[in-house]
Amino acid sequence: MRYRKDKCDLIIGGLVLIVSSWVIGVKGSIHEYKNEAFIPRFNSFFFHGGSEGLYASKVQDSPLPLSNDTNNKPLNGKSFIRFETITFRRTKEAANKQNEMQQSTGIVEAIIVEVKDRNMIGGSYLNSEAICCTPALAKDGSCKVGEVIIHQDSENPGWPKRIQTSFEGKNEEASMVLQTVEINKTGMYYLYFMFCNPELQGTLISGRSVWRNPEGYLPGKMAPLMTFYGLMSLAYLILGLLWFLCFVQHWKDIIQLHYHITAVIGLGMCEMALWYFEYANFNATGSRPMGITMWAVTFSAIKKTVSRLLLLVVSMGYGVVRPTLGGITSKVLLLGVVYFLASEALELVEHLGNINDFSGKARIFLVLPVALLDSCFIVWIFSSLSKTLEKLQIRRSLAKLELYRKFTNSLAVSVLLSVAWIGYELYFNASDPLSELWRRAWIIPAFWTILAYLLLTVICILWAPSNNPTRYAYSGETLDDEEEGLSLTGSGVIVGGDLVSKLERKERKASIAADHVFGLGEVVEEDKRE
């Protein structure tokens, strides 16, 4: 025999893994069921009706209305799960076996349970793995034959919640009464439809359930993201204004790279604004309109792609040590297109499909190609950086060398933070398979948005428009930026011994300084004496 906790973890974990609830275009906190089938488990049959993090109602002094009008004032401050137009249809063969004079010829139960109370479902207290009550288990009067075994919470009477719907006579359909269950305790809630009678095998469910938090229809895990995207919209707006002022002030000295940075900032502003409005609309209506969500998902994928391409071309020294990308342009564009398609597919599944507060199998398979492509970007970026730094060191371009040293350090820090956060994310998901830590889950996607913003800010600071754009711009095969202004007399020959010795000493000191930037050497006493 298994312990009760292990069995219930298996039951609910199995439900989460088995049930796939993503359908393109579904509504957010309105869980729709379209002739879905029940799945056998132990001695019961179940259907997973949804799972979301819900906060406790803030107002508990007035009854909830049994209407579909979401604008009714009594809904303000209320948290609830409402059953609307739920219908169960059994097979014709099962209906014909019944006596038409019987009032109840089959029961389907809707059970709402908080995830921490999952041990309250099932018969392990009676040394049984049964979920449904059997004649042997009913002898002590703790359960009724043909019903799901539920042990009531002494601290929260009436929970887990059970709502029964009965088939009558030979009727093939049974409709659930329209009713609303108010939530007065914060937690992660799961909804299951279950029946114990084997004769009901093949029964289908249709209809929908509506889930609402006190502040709106956003699921608990997603609710903080609306505020977060609002703040990030403001952050991008501030960065965009500062960049625009600097851009206008030095518009005559703009180089090609500045336009690429401007495009990324603009895409970031649009992305954050669209996500904020999408979440705000979702929170107000309980549904996710296809239009806004598609635009938000697309802008997000485009922005991620363009941001990575910007890091790549900057690492290659575009506009600094090379005027064009040359023959590798097609390879860069191909990687960008593939990444966009993979990222777009992942975003669609995350935001247009998953309506519950857990991740489905589809996301796992789509994360892998995106992660692989991100690895390709990282390897290519650091490989290009190494070559760019080598070129700058050979040319002894001190100003550009210092610029790329700062960029490399910033990029290295961001990669280290990313690796550490991926480790934390894996630990978080592994230690919380049932989303019991749902109130902290919003931090996971928020981190990546913040990291991308900070890295973009660093690039804006390092490559900010100035009165001297040629300091960082491509300037041919010169030996030293500081020597570009040096005039050489005659036909390319330097005249005068003093000038020659001064130039040699200057080149030697520049080489030593460049070595110190990368910690490649120390100034020896002989150089100091010279």
Side-chain angles (χ1 to χ4, degrees):
M1 292 296 177
R2 300 174 183 173
Y3 291 100
R4 179 180 183 79
K5 183 178 184 300
D6 294 336
K7 192 198 82 169
C8 290
D9 285 347
L10 177 63
I11 295 172
I12 298 182
L15 293 176
V16 172
L17 293 176
I18 292 174
V19 180
S20 175
S21 59
W22 68 278
V23 180
I24 298 299
V26 301
K27 297 185 177 180
S29 279
I30 302 176
H31 298 251
E32 295 191 6
Y33 322 122
K34 299 179 180 179
N35 291 323
E36 308 287 348
F38 286 72
I39 300 173
R41 174 67 94 185
F42 296 103
N43 64 341
S44 69
F45 297 83
F46 67 82
F47 171 77
H48 179 217
S51 57
E52 287 185 15
L54 295 174
Y55 292 93
S57 297
K58 294 183 178 180
V59 179
Q60 303 179 13
D61 56 351
S62 59
L64 285 169
L66 295 177
S67 70
N68 297 333
D69 185 5
T70 58
N71 296 320
N72 283 347
K73 291 184 178 180
L75 294 181
N76 295 333
K78 293 287 187 180
S79 182
F80 61 81
I81 300 173
R82 184 169 58 212
F83 299 92
E84 298 181 354
T85 63
I86 302 292
T87 301
F88 307 102
R89 177 185 290 274
R90 60 183 172 183
T91 63
K92 183 177 293 185
E93 292 78 10
N96 290 334
K97 292 179 182 179
Q98 309 304 320
N99 187 335
E100 63 181 5
M101 300 302 294
Q102 286 184 293
Q103 183 176 1
S104 177
T105 55
I107 296 176
V108 181
E109 300 180 84
I111 298 174
I112 304 173
V113 59
E114 188 180 354
V115 69
K116 74 177 187 64
D117 294 331
R118 59 189 180 276
N119 295 337
M120 299 291 180
I121 300 178
S124 290
Y125 284 149
L126 304 174
N127 295 322
S128 171
E129 293 183 346
I131 296 177
C132 294
C133 186
T134 63
L137 298 175
K139 288 181 179 179
D140 61 358
S142 61
C143 61
K144 294 182 180 180
V145 177
E147 295 183 359
V148 176
I149 302 172
I150 295 180
H151 303 273
Q152 296 294 321
D153 186 356
S154 58
E155 297 180 358
N156 191 15
W159 286 88
K161 182 72 67 176
R162 183 207 307 263
I163 303 172
Q164 295 182 337
T165 302
S166 298
F167 287 93
E168 296 181 357
K170 292 188 176 183
N171 292 342
E172 294 182 24
E173 290 188 357
S175 298
M176 190 174 181
V177 177
L178 175 65
Q179 56 184 297
T180 303
V181 177
E182 186 172 343
I183 303 299
N184 294 321
K185 187 178 180 182
T186 299
M188 170 62 68
Y189 287 86
Y190 282 74
L191 168 62
Y192 303 111
F193 296 94
M194 308 178 73
F195 61 82
C196 300
N197 189 347
E199 293 183 352
L200 294 179
Q201 187 171 0
T203 297
L204 303 178
I205 179 176
S206 60
R208 69 179 191 174
S209 61
V210 179
W211 305 55
R212 191 183 193 277
N213 270 295
E215 303 299 333
Y217 289 95
L218 271 177
K221 183 186 289 188
M222 301 169 63
L225 287 173
M226 184 176 71
T227 302
F228 171 75
Y229 285 129
L231 294 175
M232 287 305 301
S233 298
L234 182 61
Y236 268 98
L237 179 61
I238 294 174
L239 179 62
L241 288 175
L242 294 176
W243 179 262
F244 177 75
L245 292 175
C246 191
F247 196 94
V248 172
Q249 184 179 1
H250 305 287
W251 67 274
K252 293 183 178 180
D253 303 314
I254 296 300
I255 61 177
Q256 189 67 31
L257 188 61
H258 291 148
Y259 292 102
H260 293 269
I261 297 174
T262 303
V264 175
I265 296 175
L267 287 171
M269 293 173 60
C270 294
E271 178 195 15
M272 294 298 105
L274 283 170
W275 279 124
Y276 173 77
F277 286 118
E278 201 268 350
Y279 274 58
N281 184 81
F282 185 7
N283 191 54
T285 64
S287 62
R288 306 184 77 167
M290 180 71 74
I292 298 178
T293 306
M294 283 293 295
W295 277 108
V297 165
T298 302
F299 265 92
S300 181
I302 293 175
K303 186 251 184 178
K304 288 180 180 179
T305 304
V306 175
S307 297
R308 283 155 177 76
L309 292 177
L310 175 63
L311 290 175
L312 182 57
V313 298
V314 167
S315 301
M316 289 178 174
Y318 173 69
V320 177
V321 298
R322 58 195 306 173
T324 65
L325 296 180
I328 62 174
T329 302
S330 58
K331 296 180 180 179
V332 173
L333 292 178
L334 178 61
L335 180 60
V337 171
V338 174
Y339 185 86
F340 167 76
L341 295 176
S343 180
E344 177 83 355
L346 177 60
E347 294 282 344
L348 285 173
V349 170
E350 283 188 328
H351 299 286
L352 286 181
N354 186 18
I355 63 177
N356 297 312
D357 271 358
F358 63 84
S359 298
K361 285 184 177 180
R363 184 183 185 278
I364 297 176
F365 290 109
L366 291 172
V367 163
L368 294 177
V370 174
L372 180 61
L373 292 171
D374 273 327
S375 300
C376 293
F377 268 112
I378 292 174
V379 172
W380 200 353
I381 286 172
F382 277 98
S383 175
S384 301
L385 268 176
S386 177
K387 295 178 182 178
T388 301
L389 290 171
E390 183 179 354
K391 289 181 181 179
L392 292 174
Q393 190 174 4
I394 293 174
R395 298 179 187 181
R396 301 185 185 124
S397 303
L398 299 185
K400 296 176 182 178
L401 196 59
E402 179 66 14
L403 171 71
Y404 269 85
R405 182 184 68 82
K406 294 178 179 178
F407 175 66
T408 302
N409 292 339
S410 302
L411 199 58
V413 170
S414 67
V415 171
L416 291 176
L417 289 175
S418 298
V419 172
W421 192 258
I422 289 173
Y424 171 76
E425 188 172 346
L426 292 174
Y427 166 77
F428 183 89
N429 292 330
S431 60
D432 186 37
L434 299 179
S435 298
E436 295 180 85
L437 303 177
W438 57 277
R439 279 180 283 186
R440 288 189 291 170
W442 69 274
I443 301 175
I444 300 296
F447 170 83
W448 299 109
T449 303
I450 294 174
L451 183 62
Y453 177 82
L454 292 178
L455 196 55
L456 178 60
T457 302
V458 169
I459 293 177
C460 290
I461 294 174
L462 294 178
W463 274 272
S466 66
N467 291 323
N468 186 21
T470 57
R471 185 185 182 192
Y472 297 145
Y474 175 76
S475 55
E477 299 296 329
T478 57
L479 291 178
D480 193 335
D481 287 348
E482 297 180 6
E483 296 172 7
E484 288 175 3
L486 182 62
S487 299
L488 301 181
T489 60
S491 58
V493 180
I494 299 178
V495 181
D498 291 340
L499 182 58
V500 172
S501 78
K502 288 181 180 179
L503 182 56
E504 289 176 349
R505 287 196 298 271
K506 187 174 184 182
E507 290 177 349
R508 189 174 184 182
K509 291 180 180 179
S511 178
I512 295 172
D515 289 341
H516 273 288
V517 172
F518 294 91
L520 299 177
E522 299 291 340
V523 178
V524 296
E525 195 62 30
E526 292 180 1
D527 294 331
K528 291 183 178 179
R529 286 197 298 268
E530 289 182 5

